[in-house]
Each structure stands twice: as C-alpha cells, then as structure tokens.
Amino acid sequence: MTELLEGGHSELERLQLDQDRMKLFRNYRKNSGRFCLSGLGLAFFLHMQASDFATLTDALYSSERIWLLPSHGLFFILVGGCISGVAGVSFLLALLVKRAAACDYEKSLTLCSQAFLPFSLGCVNLLQFNTFLASITHFSYVITIDLAASIFIFSTVAVVISYATLLWPALGSTIRNISQCFNWSNKFQRRILLGFLFIISFTLYSLVGRYLPGLNGDEPHYLLIMQSILNDHDLDINNNYINKDYNAYIAGVLDRHVTIGRDETRYSTHPVGLAFLLAPAYYCGGYGGVVRLLNVLAAILSVQLFLLGMVIIRRLGWSLFLWFLVSFAPPILPYSAKVFPELPAALITVFVYRVIRYQKSLTVKMVFIIGLCLSILPWLQQRFIILSVLLAVYFVLLHWRQWHKCLWFLMPYLFSAMSLGLFYFVLYGDPLPSAPYTSIKMHSVWSLDILIRHGLWGLLFDQEFGLLIYAPVFLFIISGFWFKAQKDRLGSIFVFLLILSVYIPSAGFTLKWWGSWAPMGRYMVVLIPFLYELVAYVLARSLHSYLKWTLGLILWITMQFTIYLVQHYDLWIGAANGRSKLLSSLSVTVDLPQYFPSLVLADQHSYMILAVWIVFMIALNYGCVCSTQEEPSHPAPGSASQAREDSGFSRFLGEGSPDFPGHVFIRWSLLVLLTFFLLTTAGHFSQFFSHSYKSSSDFWLAAKRTLKDRGVIWSEMSHQGMDTPLLEYTYQTKRSAAGDGGSPSYLVSGPYITLPAGLYRAVYTIKLLDNSGHQVVAHLEVCTKRGHIKLASRTVHQSDFKNGETQQDFSLYFQLDQPTPNIETRVMAAHNVDFEIVTITVGTTEALRHKWRGRRLERLGFYAQALREYQAISIPESPYLTIVYHDKALLFAKLGRFNEAIENWQLYYTHHPHDRNAAQCLGELLIKFGDRDKGIELLRSLHSEPPP
C-alpha cells in the first residue's frame, strides 16, 4: 500500500514537473515571438527610412514612388541584429525588473518582452506592397512615408513609458506626490503660479507675433478709427481715407468701409468699441503699442482659461495640459496680435462667465465689475449683443434672491444698452444695431441658405477656416456637454444657448461667414471659453489609457500644425478657394485636402467627406463616454460600476489586461490606424463617386515592367502624381493708382500663397483710364522670400494696350522646381497715369500641365512619354508656350524622327527668328536629312550676320 502511494505521489510530481516545463516552454516561445515581432518592426522602421526610392513622375506630389529594396543580405543582417538587440536588452533589463517588481525572472522577462511590442508597428510598412490596398486608398503610403517618423517616435515613447513603469513601480504615485506639493488653496502659491503663467503667455505671444502676417482684412480700418478719434476727435473717417492716414502702417490704397450718417457724414462700418479700447495704446506706441496691448489681453485670457479649467478639473497636471494645448494653438495664438474685436470679447466672456458660474461668494464690488465688463460686449460687435443678454439673464436666474446684487449688476449694463441705442440714433436716426448696414441699403446681413449650405458645419469642419481642423482637442465637446448636463442641467442649457447666440449669426453671415481676410476660426474665438469648459469636464473624469494616448496624439498634431504655421506665416490666412494652404503645403505623398471637407465652395464630394468626419466625431465621443469613470478611484470588484466597466466598449479596449506595458499601446495604435484607414478609404470612394478617374497610363505600366525585369520590389502607387488637378487662385484687388507724378510705390503685394512644383501663369487685369502715350504704367513681378527671389517680371507701357482698349490682361509665366511658399504677385505703380488693378489670377492650365509633365519625364529619360505630353499641346495658347516646338524638335531628333524634328525647328524659328542656336540646329538637320541647299544657305546667313 505504501509503495502504491509512493508511486502515485511520484507520478503526480512527474505530471506537475511536465506541466511546469510546458508552461515554461510556452512562455519562452511567446517571448521569442515577441522578440522577433518587435525586432522585425524595428528593422523595418530603420531600413525604410534609409532605403532609396525611385520617383517616377515627380509631378505635383511624389505619389508614384517605388522603393528600391535590394535583394542582398544587408536587410536580413539588420533584421537579425534588431531581434538580437531587443532580446539582449530584454534579458539584461529583466534582472532589474525582477528586483523592482519583486517577481521571478520568467515573469520579469515576459514583462520586458511585452514592453518592446510597440516597435512591432514598424510592420505596417509592408502594407504599401499590397496591391489591393494600394488600389482603394492612399492610407499605406501616408503612414509609411509622411507619418513614419511620428509613428516611430510614438513607439519609442511607449517603450520608454513601459520600462519606466516596470523599473519604477511607484512612478505614478511619485508624480502625484510632486503635484500635490503645490497647494492650490494657498493664496501665495496660487498667485506665484498665475504670475508665472502670465509671463510665459505674454513672452510667447510677443515672440510669435513677429511671425504672423501683417495687417489684414478689417485691421487697418479699426486703426483708422483710432486715428480719427485721437487726431480729429470725431468719428468722421472720410477725410482720413482721402488723406491716406493709413499709410502710417500700411502701403497702397485702402478700400473704404463706410456707412452714411443722418447728416451724410461718413462713419466706419465697424463698431467703435474696439477703437476706443485700444486708442490709448495707439496714442502711446502706434500700431506696435496696439499689438503689445493685445499681447497683454491674450495673456490675461490665457490665465483666465486656466482658472476656468482648474475649478472644473481640480488637478494641476491636466489643467496645465489643457491650458497649454488651447492657449498656444489656433485660434487664440494668431489673434493674440491681430486687431480684431474677438480677442477682447473672449476675455470679457471667460471672466464674466467664470465669476457668474463658479465663484461661490460675490461681493457687490465684484458684481458691479462683471456688469461693467459685460456692458462693453455690445460695443465691440453687434453679434455679441445676444451673448451679453443671455449672460445677464443667467446671472439673474442664479442670484434672483439677492435683488440688490442684481440691481448693481444690471445698472451698468442697462446704462450701456441705452447709450448704444442713443449712439445709433444720433448717428443714423435709428436706435437699432442694424442701423449702420441699413444706411448703405444692406437690409439683410444674414442668410438661411448660407447657414444651411456652408456656415453651419463650416465653422467647425471646413479645411481652411474650421476650428476642429486646427484645434482637434475640441472634438470632445459632445461628451463634455453630456458630462456637464449630468451635473448642471440649467448650466448646460445656457451654455448651449450661449454658443448658439454667436454661432448661428456668424454661420449665416452674408459678408463671408468664415471671417473674410483673417486667420482661421475668427468667429469661434469668443466661444472658446464655453468649449474649453466642455473639454475640461472630460479631463475631470478618470481617463482610460486609450484616451490619454489619444490626447497625446492630439497634442502632437496641434503642436506640429502650430510650429509649421509659425514657420510659414503666409499659411495663417486662408485663400477662400476651397483648399487649405496648410494641408496643401503638407501634401507630399497624397493630396491631403481631398480628405477634408471644404464648405467655402461646397459640392457633393465635400458633403460626403463631411458626413464621414461627423460620424468619426460621434464615435470618438461615444467611446469617451463609455470608457471614463466619475471617480478616479477604481470601483470595488463585483459592484455595479465594475460591471459597467467590464462590459461593452471598455472590455474591448482591454484596460484590465495585465499586459498593460505594451498591449494597451498596440491595441490603441491599431484602433487609430483602422480609423485612419476608414477615413482615407471613405474619402477615396467619395471622390470616386463624385469625379471620374482616368485609366492607368502606358508610362506607368512600362515603368513597372522595366523595374520588374530588374528584380526590384515595388509598391504600386496611385496616379495622383500624373493626374494633378488644375490650380487657380483669383482675388479681387480693386486697387487704383493716381497719375500724380509721385515716386513709384507698390500698389499690390501678396497673397503669400504656397504652390507646389510646376509651371504657372499670373494674369494681371489692368484697367487704364488713358492709353494715349508711351509712358510707363506699372512694373509687374512674381517673387518669393519678400522679393529677394524674382521669378518673372515685366514693365507695362501705355502702348501695350492694343486697339485703344482700356482694359487688358498681362501674363507672366514662371516655373517652380520645388514647392515654394510666400509667392507674391506685386504691382509697382509708376504714378504716371491713372489705372486700376481689377483682378490677379495665379494658376496653371491644361497646356502648362502637359508642358511640366513632359519636362519632368524628359529629365527622367522617358522621351517617348514626354513627347506625348508635348504633342497634347496642339496650338500654343501664348508666345511663352511656343518653346514647346523647341522641346519637341529635340525629342524627335533623339528618337531618330528627323523629319518631324525639322518641322518643329522651323515652327520654333518662325516665332523666335533671333535664336541662333535654333537656326544652327535647323541648318544642320536640313543638310543631313532635308533640303541641303536651304540648310547651307541658313548656316551661311547665320555666320555672315552679327549676333543681335
């Protein structure tokens, strides 16, 4: 019996030992698989960045690109080295993790292998070699070319965070302890922090202001009102326009923005509140003094936003995160130095709203101050009147029991309202705020059609002026409104009404709902406090790790956009042509604007893209609502909240997984990549249904066959590079110059647009009042880098106007070998005659596009394909394009088609009889393959005549 027991016991020990061995083997097998996957992804990251690629077309975008991946063993050596490196580092760090985490070596090695998993994202580089994916979306090329560096940086950060968590288990508690060292209830510490934030904000706004475009849109008109107040002590600005007082801060001739008073006096179209507010700064320092005061106001606005976020979030770290993300990004950053009423209005709004809603005890003095501040809003802009009324009603509803405070609050506000009505009545004979517009026969400045078709979604999603494109943190406003409604139903209703009070009038504004010649998001600046509050409600909750990574991604995107905008100051102002200048300048692999809605010139494609982005925003907020908790502490196991957490969306995200160091980041990355894939695919198919695609070119097929014969691995790219859209920028200048004999001066400059590589034509439409004579009218030029690089120029004389016409187009052709920012079309008036610049158009044509593509193909050695592009230009549309005969003659000669070469040389020589090189080539070809006598005669005449 004892022997049986001993035999059974030894059998159980043997089975247990076998199970332990199998478990250990499975662990090592899994760890080896993680090492291989991480090392392979890291190898792809490094190799794809170092490998050469062949660009087949090199046209508008480098989107027909072939990677030259040699078949030698260097790549396999790199793969082996990366796998060995990952494994070696994991084995070494496992010893440290074993001591830090107080676990066995096998467990620590498993954790270290999981920590390297974010590098496995490098395997997405293989997607571009999938023919099916390449045919339906540009997704794989964007993530492997344009976003490869960003993905690698995010993966490295995830690895570092994972190891920091493993080696320093108390990292989270240490960070919390450091943040808790600051006592918000300590008045002295709080003031030190607020002063520090103010200094940082003012310094950055002052520095960034130097990289913003100069006066634009309505800014000089506001400054002109200040001049009239300070110099003339009146509001009649007609004499200021006549005397060109604005030349103190802007050159040229300024369009008149005037209304007609009851006594035929010309007043400004713009409200006078901003001018009176900034007039002391203009008196002290001119335009520079105004900018410095705006920097101060922007810094105070930044501090007020931080206070608003802090009272909701109650955590210093997330409050500083939101403050930094909103304060130093569009739209607040560009308007920190722009003379528009939106920034002062936003400052008043956030101060009044924060005090009304979140300050517990209000003294009579504070009540009077916020009433006084609120009374300024209607004077800044008419569209702020409803906003101020709703804020006043909100205050009365919250404090109606304390009637004496309501009286002190309403006293300055009602006095301001009556003064404003009296002001309009004295000037226009009408006390209504619409009096300035009705005086110039503008009886309606709001349109329901514009609201529905353009502005309703355009203020948020338009690729040129939409808020969410440049400040994506506000994508969470829907979930923020949901969380606010659960805590403060009355407050959420008023926030919704306050947003609508400005949003609806702005979205239906007939005089350019996007804000005209101004940086993006102009009309949304005053609404930033309310949107900021909604996002703060999201950050006040216990955030899922997925949301934290998403916020980190939003921070990365916002800062990249902001830095790029600061570096390229011409991109702040939209062209209102349906294409974002920022996205166009960032388009390297694909045409990025096609994936974003354009509501300025809305069409079917834009509405389909808009629907995709709306669905994406709703899905993002749904995930936010489902994956956040009210309390930061974890719920008890088995509780109702724990059941909600372990179900549905949260279970899919896998927050409770023990493999947090690497797996959470991998799942989050796959979700982001899947979302990006769906967005790009939807954009691709919406464009497919809206526009017809051309078939594959013979050039592409031939090039692919050639590279296949060479044994090169290729990735099929789209044909966006060959089938580039026609670009055209047209803007009305209406600038006129007088023939007063003054010194030459620039009449038109700008518009500082960014153009991709190609051939372009600038067309100047000039209207001349007197074309009798031969005097110089103007000097036209196309330049970049503030005129240091001139691309094309010509001088226009009176005699250039044919057949006695008084209006004529003058064209300048120029070539860009690479994407070039800050393109200007300048006009320097000679002031000899009276003339007007009607319009200026910059763009390309079908003929220029064929010419450019043919030239690029010729440089790559594809002569037959280049010749087909040149032959597509049947009849040159201008003398400039007659050079195509020269190019065709050279290509025909290279291809051995000498009769066609002679014919094209003759056509070219007819248009350019003084080109001695063309005559030399034509004569030599005639002697060898044509009329020998004619060729000899041409060469003799060429050598007998002196050069012209």
Side-chain angles (χ1 to χ4, degrees):
M1 188 68 179
T2 305
E3 295 178 354
L4 290 176
L5 291 175
E6 291 179 353
H9 184 67
S10 61
E11 185 68 24
L12 290 175
E13 289 180 348
R14 191 181 305 111
L15 291 176
Q16 183 66 31
L17 184 60
D18 291 341
Q19 290 180 359
D20 292 341
R21 289 176 179 175
M22 289 299 298
K23 182 179 180 181
L24 184 62
F25 174 74
R26 285 195 297 267
N27 289 335
Y28 275 110
R29 185 179 60 185
K30 290 181 180 180
N31 292 339
S32 300
R34 297 188 189 104
F35 293 150
C36 293
L37 187 61
S38 303
L40 184 63
L42 181 60
F44 271 111
F45 269 134
L46 300 177
H47 190 65
M48 297 302 287
Q49 293 300 313
S51 299
D52 296 328
F53 57 86
T55 303
L56 296 184
T57 59
D58 195 18
L60 184 59
Y61 307 105
S62 304
S63 55
E64 295 194 352
R65 182 175 283 180
I66 294 180
W67 294 102
L68 301 181
L69 299 179
S71 58
H72 50 72
L74 290 179
F75 175 70
F76 299 100
I77 294 176
L78 179 63
V79 171
C82 289
I83 294 176
S84 302
V86 168
V89 173
S90 297
F91 280 117
L92 292 177
L93 292 178
L95 298 174
L96 301 177
V97 173
K98 175 184 176 181
R99 179 178 301 179
C103 59
D104 56 8
Y105 185 77
E106 288 75 14
K107 178 63 176 178
S108 62
L109 184 61
T110 300
L111 293 175
C112 290
S113 65
Q114 294 171 356
F116 272 112
L117 275 178
F119 281 140
S120 62
L121 288 178
C123 296
V124 298
N125 287 282
L126 295 174
L127 294 178
Q128 60 179 311
F129 301 107
N130 186 286
T131 306
F132 173 73
L133 293 179
S135 63
I136 64 173
T137 180
H138 301 128
F139 160 77
S140 56
Y141 311 121
V142 175
I143 65 172
T144 55
I145 299 174
D146 299 341
L147 302 180
S150 298
I151 295 176
F152 179 73
I153 291 174
F154 263 82
S155 301
T156 306
V157 170
V159 172
V160 172
I161 292 177
S162 299
Y163 269 109
T165 305
L166 293 175
L167 297 175
W168 194 1
L171 177 63
S173 60
T174 304
I175 295 176
R176 284 192 294 270
N177 293 334
I178 294 175
S179 63
Q180 289 174 0
C181 292
F182 174 80
N183 187 5
W184 180 253
S185 60
N186 189 308
K187 184 179 296 185
F188 177 75
Q189 294 185 12
R190 183 168 66 247
R191 290 179 177 178
I192 291 294
L193 176 62
L194 296 180
F196 185 65
L197 297 181
F198 174 82
I199 293 174
I200 292 177
S201 302
F202 177 75
T203 303
L204 289 179
Y205 290 147
S206 300
L207 293 176
V208 173
R210 302 177 182 179
Y211 299 95
L212 294 175
L215 292 170
N216 305 106
D218 300 333
E219 289 184 277
H221 301 281
Y222 283 111
L223 293 175
L224 197 65
I225 302 175
M226 301 178 203
Q227 285 182 305
S228 180
I229 294 173
L230 295 173
N231 300 333
D232 303 337
H233 308 291
D234 60 20
L235 297 176
D236 182 4
I237 61 171
N238 190 49
N239 61 313
N240 302 96
Y241 280 113
I242 295 175
N243 299 331
K244 297 183 179 180
D245 293 341
Y246 46 79
N247 287 151
Y249 39 81
I250 188 173
V253 180
L254 193 64
D255 295 336
R256 299 190 180 189
H257 291 191
V258 297
T259 57
I260 304 175
R262 60 192 304 180
D263 55 353
E264 301 300 323
T265 303
R266 266 48 176 181
Y267 302 106
S268 177
T269 309
H270 308 284
V272 298
L274 182 66
F276 277 102
L277 183 65
L278 302 180
Y282 188 86
Y283 177 79
C284 296
Y287 172 58
V290 171
V291 172
R292 287 296 167 264
L293 178 57
L294 288 171
N295 295 152
V296 173
L297 295 179
I300 299 175
L301 171 63
S302 174
V303 174
Q304 288 293 323
L305 288 175
F306 172 77
L307 290 173
L308 177 62
M310 189 65 186
V311 74
I312 299 172
I313 302 174
R314 298 183 182 278
R315 284 178 288 179
L316 182 61
W318 283 116
S319 300
L320 290 174
F321 173 85
L322 185 58
W323 164 80
F324 179 81
L325 190 57
V326 175
S327 298
F328 306 114
I332 291 181
L333 184 63
Y335 285 95
S336 63
K338 305 298 288 181
V339 190
F340 288 102
E342 276 71 22
L343 184 76
L347 174 57
I348 294 173
T349 302
V350 66
F351 172 69
V352 173
Y353 178 74
R354 184 183 64 83
V355 172
I356 292 176
R357 173 61 184 84
Y358 293 103
Q359 190 159 330
K360 296 181 179 179
S361 58
L362 295 178
T363 63
V364 175
K365 179 181 178 181
M366 178 58 69
V367 168
F368 183 78
I369 290 176
I370 61 175
L372 189 63
C373 293
L374 191 63
S375 64
I376 301 176
L377 272 182
W379 291 87
L380 293 176
Q381 186 58 254
Q382 289 94 330
R383 61 176 173 271
F384 301 150
I385 294 178
I386 302 178
L387 174 66
S388 64
V389 171
L390 288 175
L391 285 173
V393 172
Y394 189 41
F395 176 85
V396 172
L397 286 178
L398 293 180
H399 302 86
W400 63 273
R401 299 176 187 271
Q402 300 172 320
W403 60 268
H404 63 287
K405 291 186 179 180
C406 295
L407 182 62
W408 279 102
F409 173 81
L410 293 176
M411 194 179 351
Y413 181 75
L414 295 177
F415 177 77
S416 174
M418 292 186 293
S419 300
L420 183 62
L422 181 62
F423 174 79
Y424 285 129
F425 181 79
V426 171
L427 265 61
Y428 303 101
D430 186 353
L432 296 179
S434 59
Y437 297 105
T438 56
S439 68
I440 53 177
K441 309 304 180 183
M442 292 182 60
H443 297 286
S444 177
V445 293
W446 190 84
S447 170
L448 180 62
D449 180 67
I450 293 177
L451 171 70
I452 296 175
R453 296 180 55 192
H454 303 279
L456 182 61
W457 302 107
L459 289 178
L460 291 176
F461 293 98
D462 182 72
Q463 62 177 261
E464 287 189 272
F465 306 98
L467 175 69
L468 300 181
I469 305 300
Y470 302 94
V473 69
F474 294 117
L475 286 169
F476 293 99
I477 56 177
I478 297 179
S479 54
F481 185 82
W482 174 266
F483 297 143
K484 180 177 174 58
Q486 291 178 336
K487 289 187 174 183
D488 183 12
R489 184 165 299 180
L490 177 63
S492 61
I493 294 175
F494 263 91
V495 165
F496 183 72
L497 294 177
L498 289 168
I499 293 175
L500 290 184
S501 67
V502 177
Y503 193 92
I504 297 300
S506 302
F509 193 42
T510 57
L511 302 178
K512 300 179 181 179
W513 56 267
W514 59 86
S516 189
W517 197 255
M520 64 286 293
R522 174 183 173 181
Y523 294 147
M524 299 296 292
V525 173
V526 71
L527 298 179
I528 291 297
F530 308 118
L531 305 181
Y532 190 96
E533 180 195 26
L534 297 180
V535 178
Y537 270 98
V538 176
L539 299 183
R541 300 172 70 85
S542 179
L543 300 180
H544 197 284
S545 298
Y546 277 65
L547 283 180
K548 294 178 182 178
W549 280 109
T550 303
L551 290 171
L553 178 61
I554 289 175
L555 175 65
W556 174 266
I557 294 173
T558 305
M559 289 300 102
Q560 290 294 316
F561 275 9
T562 303
I563 293 173
Y564 193 82
L565 287 169
V566 172
Q567 293 174 343
H568 303 79
Y569 56 87
D570 62 304
L571 302 180
W572 287 108
I573 310 296
N577 62 353
R579 286 180 60 86
S580 168
K581 294 196 294 184
L582 172 64
L583 297 176
S584 298
S585 62
L586 293 174
S587 299
V588 178
T589 305
V590 297
D591 185 23
L592 290 180
Q594 67 177 321
Y595 298 114
F596 293 83
S598 174
L599 280 304
V600 175
L601 305 173
D603 55 10
Q604 180 183 0
H605 171 63
S606 296
Y607 291 129
M608 296 179 70
I609 293 293
L610 174 63
V612 172
W613 278 97
I614 293 175
V615 172
F616 164 70
M617 182 178 179
I618 294 174
L620 178 65
N621 283 271
Y622 175 77
C624 178
V625 171
C626 294
S627 61
T628 58
Q629 304 178 42
E630 175 64 26
E631 297 295 336
S633 59
H634 296 287
S639 63
S641 58
Q642 178 68 27
R644 288 194 299 269
E645 181 186 1
D646 292 340
S647 62
F649 192 82
S650 297
R651 185 189 303 171
F652 168 72
L653 296 180
E655 174 72 9
S657 173
D659 303 329
F660 171 71
H663 286 181
V664 168
F665 178 80
I666 291 296
R667 282 191 285 266
W668 173 81
S669 301
L670 293 178
L671 273 179
V672 173
L673 293 177
L674 177 62
T675 303
F676 188 30
F677 173 76
L678 294 177
L679 288 176
T680 54
T681 305
H684 179 86
F685 280 106
S686 65
Q687 189 183 40
F688 175 80
F689 289 116
S690 302
H691 307 283
S692 61
Y693 274 169
K694 297 183 179 179
S695 60
S696 301
S697 61
D698 296 335
F699 157 68
W700 166 249
L701 297 176
K704 190 172 71 172
R705 285 195 299 268
T706 302
L707 291 168
K708 185 176 180 180
D709 295 337
R710 291 172 53 190
V712 175
I713 302 176
W714 71 84
S715 60
E716 288 197 35
M717 292 297 195
S718 70
H719 306 285
Q720 186 69 28
M722 293 295 291
D723 302 326
T724 57
L726 296 176
L727 301 177
E728 185 173 279
Y729 298 88
T730 302
Y731 55 99
Q732 304 283 339
T733 60
K734 296 294 185 181
R735 297 290 179 88
S736 58
D740 51 7
S743 58
S745 62
Y746 281 106
L747 184 64
V748 177
S749 61
Y752 306 104
I753 58 177
T754 299
L755 294 176
L759 288 173
Y760 295 93
R761 179 183 64 176
V763 181
Y764 300 77
T765 303
I766 301 179
K767 183 178 181 180
L768 191 64
L769 301 182
D770 182 13
N771 61 351
S772 59
H774 301 277
Q775 298 188 56
V776 175
V777 177
H779 180 74
L780 313 179
E781 63 181 32
V782 180
C783 61
T784 183
K785 291 189 176 181
R786 295 290 187 178
H788 293 290
I789 298 178
K790 288 184 171 56
L791 304 173
S793 62
R794 69 165 295 177
T795 302
V796 178
H797 298 78
Q798 287 178 292
S799 56
D800 293 331
F801 288 80
K802 302 176 181 179
N803 302 325
E805 295 181 357
T806 59
Q807 182 169 317
Q808 187 171 318
D809 294 340
F810 296 90
S811 299
L812 292 180
Y813 293 86
F814 59 98
Q815 174 180 326
L816 301 177
D817 294 325
Q818 59 185 357
T820 306
N822 305 327
I823 299 294
E824 292 187 71
T825 53
R826 294 183 173 184
V827 178
M828 176 178 283
H831 293 289
N832 294 324
V833 294
D834 297 336
F835 72 95
E836 179 185 358
I837 303 295
V838 182
T839 59
I840 299 178
T841 302
V842 179
T844 183
T845 63
E846 191 70 31
L848 290 176
R849 189 173 66 159
H850 286 299
K851 179 71 175 67
W852 173 253
R853 292 161 63 183
R855 180 173 298 177
R856 307 306 291 177
L857 292 171
E858 183 181 355
R859 291 181 180 179
L860 294 171
F862 297 96
Y863 299 132
Q865 291 79 9
L867 186 59
R868 282 200 292 270
E869 295 293 338
Y870 290 145
Q871 288 177 324
I873 308 174
S874 56
I875 301 177
E877 60 187 24
S878 68
Y880 171 81
L881 284 175
T882 55
I883 198 174
V884 74
Y885 296 129
H886 176 280
D887 298 331
K888 287 195 296 183
L890 291 176
L891 288 178
F892 277 128
K894 290 179 180 180
L895 295 174
R897 299 164 62 177
F898 299 107
N899 291 330
E900 289 93 336
I902 292 174
E903 179 183 352
N904 281 274
W905 276 123
Q906 289 174 340
L907 291 172
Y908 177 77
Y909 190 63
T910 302
H911 291 87
H912 303 273
H914 300 295
D915 192 334
R916 298 174 64 86
N917 292 329
Q920 180 78 22
C921 295
L922 177 58
E924 292 176 355
L925 285 177
L926 286 173
I927 292 174
K928 294 181 180 180
F929 307 103
D931 191 339
R932 180 179 177 84
D933 296 336
K934 187 175 181 181
I936 294 174
E937 181 181 356
L938 179 60
L939 292 179
R940 285 177 179 176
S941 63
L942 181 64
H943 292 292
S944 61
E945 295 180 359

